[in-house]
Amino acid sequence: MLTVFYLLLILTVGRCSDDLNFDMKTVGVGDDVNLTCTRQKSSGQGTLFWIRLVSGNFLKFLGGTYSFDYNGVNKTPHMTTKQEPGTFLLQIHETKLSDTGLYYCIKINQLEMTFLKGTFLRIKGPEPDITAVIQVPPSDPVRPGDSVTLQCSVLSDSENKSSPGEHSVYWFRAGSDESQPSLIYAHGNSGDKCERSPHTHSPQKCVYSFSKNVSSSDAGTYYCAVATCGEILFGNGTKLEIEGNCRTF
């Protein structure tokens, strides 16, 4: 229960405790896929878990094991987690469009939690109904300590929706040194505002907002990503420049 409470506490507001680098993997509907996580027995005792970020406020446990050699297997008709030499393996059998999302391998040792591996899994399927992902930069100069709101508008053809389910929206940040993008926020099902035009064949517009108080270290390019129909569509990016400097302690 302590493990569950600790994880829920970290993800309560829909974001992770630290920026997390991730890999991207693409497979087709019905394919089998293996996600692996390095298991180092020499790093002490602890437990490993595969989890999936379902939305901004919820996560799903897929299976766990120990750092030391252990023969236990967590198995369902759709997913299996087990140890292999040097790794902790997640197998997804006959993938579905709904399997698209973010998967994490984490290690917990007493009260310390470490994210070991992040994978953005994309399942190719029908053509998505989204016609555009638009980002608009802040209109005013941004200084350390300011509260900044970034917006992402998702336009979709509601008359030609080819796959069921809501959009899953994520925000990523690439640092000013062009480092690999890292996840910083995932929207839940609430908080988005969608408008349908009364005109026939007009696109539906959903607006997603992400706000934070910024420091000089938050400069970089922020990308809005939308997962739907097994596709992951990125916006054009918003470059956030922070004026001045702030002291670090």
Side-chain angles (χ1 to χ4, degrees):
M1 291 299 297
L2 179 61
T3 296
V4 174
F5 172 78
Y6 190 47
L7 284 170
L8 291 178
L9 179 64
I10 287 177
L11 297 177
T12 296
V13 295
R15 60 178 299 169
C16 302
S17 58
D18 299 300
D19 290 355
L20 300 174
N21 290 331
F22 64 97
D23 296 328
M24 297 190 69
K25 191 178 185 71
T26 302
V27 299
V29 172
D31 290 348
D32 294 338
V33 61
N34 292 339
L35 303 181
T36 60
C37 175
T38 301
R39 181 174 58 91
Q40 297 179 342
K41 293 184 290 184
S42 61
S43 59
Q45 300 297 318
T47 51
L48 303 176
F49 295 92
W50 275 105
I51 61 174
R52 180 182 180 223
L53 184 62
V54 179
S55 71
N57 296 322
F58 299 97
L59 58 86
K60 183 176 181 181
F61 288 86
L62 307 178
T65 190
Y66 299 102
S67 296
F68 55 82
D69 291 341
Y70 177 66
N71 293 326
V73 175
N74 298 292
K75 187 173 184 178
T76 69
H78 189 50
M79 292 189 183
T80 299
T81 60
K82 63 180 181 179
Q83 288 190 8
E84 289 194 345
T87 65
F88 180 37
L89 176 67
L90 168 63
Q91 295 178 317
I92 305 176
H93 312 288
E94 297 182 357
T95 55
K96 307 171 185 177
L97 284 174
S98 58
D99 292 322
T100 293
L102 283 159
Y103 293 79
Y104 292 112
C105 177
I106 63 173
K107 179 179 180 180
I108 297 179
N109 187 5
Q110 297 181 356
L111 294 180
E112 181 180 355
M113 182 173 66
T114 305
F115 284 80
L116 302 178
K117 180 77 175 288
T119 301
F120 207 148
L121 181 64
R122 172 193 174 215
I123 314 297
K124 291 190 298 183
E127 289 298 318
D129 63 308
I130 293 177
T131 57
V133 179
I134 303 171
Q135 295 181 237
V136 179
S139 56
D140 298 323
V142 179
R143 299 177 178 85
D146 287 351
S147 177
V148 175
T149 298
L150 303 180
Q151 286 194 337
C152 173
S153 298
V154 180
L155 305 183
S156 59
D157 185 357
S158 57
E159 298 294 327
N160 186 32
K161 194 168 180 62
S162 56
S163 62
E166 300 296 327
H167 303 148
S168 297
V169 179
Y170 306 89
W171 286 91
F172 296 90
R173 172 182 173 268
S176 55
D177 58 352
E178 301 301 325
S179 57
Q180 185 180 17
S182 53
L183 172 71
I184 56 172
Y185 191 86
H187 284 278
N189 292 329
S190 61
D192 54 294
K193 298 179 180 180
C194 296
E195 299 177 354
R196 274 184 202 275
S197 171
H199 302 293
T200 305
H201 302 306
S202 295
Q204 174 180 271
K205 180 180 180 181
C206 295
V207 179
Y208 298 87
S209 298
F210 164 64
S211 301
K212 70 174 300 184
N213 292 324
V214 299
S215 66
S216 58
S217 62
D218 291 315
T221 303
Y222 290 74
Y223 294 94
C224 172
V226 184
T228 183
C229 296
E231 293 286 340
I232 301 171
L233 306 176
F234 282 83
N236 53 311
T238 297
K239 188 173 184 179
L240 188 62
E241 296 181 345
I242 313 296
E243 293 187 351
N245 296 305
C246 65
R247 291 185 301 169
T248 57
F249 296 88

